[in-house]
Amino acid sequence: MATKYTARASASTSSRGRFSSGTNRNSKLRPTHFISLPIGHHVQLQESVKSFTDGLLNCKPALPGVDRGIVIAPRRLHLTLGVMTLENSPVSSGRTLADAQALLRTLRARVMELLDGHSLCIPLTEMNIMNPDRGNADNAHVLWLGPSLNTEDAQRLKSVSEFVNKAFSDAGFIQDRRPLKLHCTILNTSHRKPYRQPFSYNAILTSPFIREFVRTPHDFRDSVKVDFGTWNVDEIQICKMGSYGPEGEYVSCGCCSLAS
């Protein structure tokens, strides 16, 4: 397992503790930060996911739309609990990084109650895509790994994740009110330049290479069963969008330790 966890960013120098609900005047601006459950520091996970994505890249014939430009670096693997637009400094109606850090600190006691002495773990036991263009699996944009919710580890993960998401939503930090979808993205065409060309999930599922990972009949409308292991989460982080630490990880701007 990796011993070096993540880079840290400096915190905002001022906090007003504004946790009341309301509408952020910058809700339509590009998000600046997200709440993360990081797992990319686990070296064994990095190796297994890299082996999988390298296999996709090396398929002959090439899989339509699959190239290195859409592969997420394994060191950046995480689950997102919500995205936020934060101000650099306090303003009349904005929320700052310091506000978000302060709120996260207040949640630790309840999070530890929900864990009830157990570790927070992420089982990567399902694989699927986000809704493809026009419902066609040949026009996919995001491939993800995530938990099936039929284990105690997964239920604890769901409870903690929904609690943190709701706390930040109720305080007005998270504007997206859609139900939380627990997933770890491994391919994403939003990173492709100069335009967002889709990839074919059908081609992935029918390639000889995939049989090593998926051995049951499949339909893209249902997640397929895989086994990429179960991984401990050491802390809940607030990370800066688009940032890179010394190992390529997202830069943490504040965290809630889950150590007992």
Side-chain angles (χ1 to χ4, degrees), residues 49-201:
V49 171
K50 184 178 187 301
S51 176
F52 177 71
T53 55
D54 282 352
L56 295 179
L57 292 170
N58 294 327
C59 280
K60 302 296 183 185
L63 300 173
V66 176
D67 59 51
R68 196 164 298 279
I70 69 172
V71 175
I72 303 301
R75 185 61 179 87
R76 295 169 77 78
L77 296 176
H78 67 280
L79 268 63
T80 298
L81 305 188
V83 300
M84 304 175 286
T85 301
L86 302 177
E87 299 282 359
N88 290 324
S89 59
V91 294
S92 59
S93 60
R95 287 171 176 78
T96 68
L97 173 58
D99 294 335
Q101 292 167 329
L103 175 56
L104 183 60
R105 287 193 293 269
T106 70
L107 304 183
R108 186 179 187 276
R110 178 56 182 156
V111 167
M112 300 308 288
E113 286 180 8
L114 291 170
L115 291 175
D116 192 25
H118 296 87
S119 298
L120 182 61
C121 299
I122 300 177
L124 298 179
T125 53
E126 292 189 348
M127 182 178 76
N128 208 342
I129 55 174
M130 293 300 187
N131 291 335
D133 292 344
R134 299 179 296 280
N136 185 344
D138 287 326
N139 294 316
H141 290 283
V142 173
L143 178 69
W144 55 264
L145 303 174
S148 52
L149 297 178
N150 56 357
T151 66
E152 291 184 0
D153 279 340
Q155 285 299 314
R156 279 189 290 270
L157 172 65
K158 182 175 183 288
S159 296
V160 169
S161 299
E162 290 180 345
F163 166 70
V164 173
N165 174 270
K166 185 176 187 302
F168 275 84
S169 294
D170 289 348
F173 288 94
I174 296 174
Q175 301 299 315
D176 189 346
R177 304 301 181 180
R178 292 175 296 179
L180 191 61
K181 174 66 177 177
L182 296 175
H183 69 283
C184 179
T185 300
I186 59 173
L187 299 180
N188 191 340
T189 65
S190 68
H191 297 276
R192 195 196 305 276
K193 305 299 182 185
Y195 63 95
R196 198 181 183 201
Q197 174 192 352
F199 62 87
S200 173
Y201 186 48

Side-chain angles (χ1 to χ4, degrees), residues 233-244:
V233 178
D234 301 326
E235 57 189 35
I236 304 170
Q237 296 181 345
I238 297 172
C239 292
K240 186 175 180 180
M241 289 280 192
S243 59
Y244 285 86

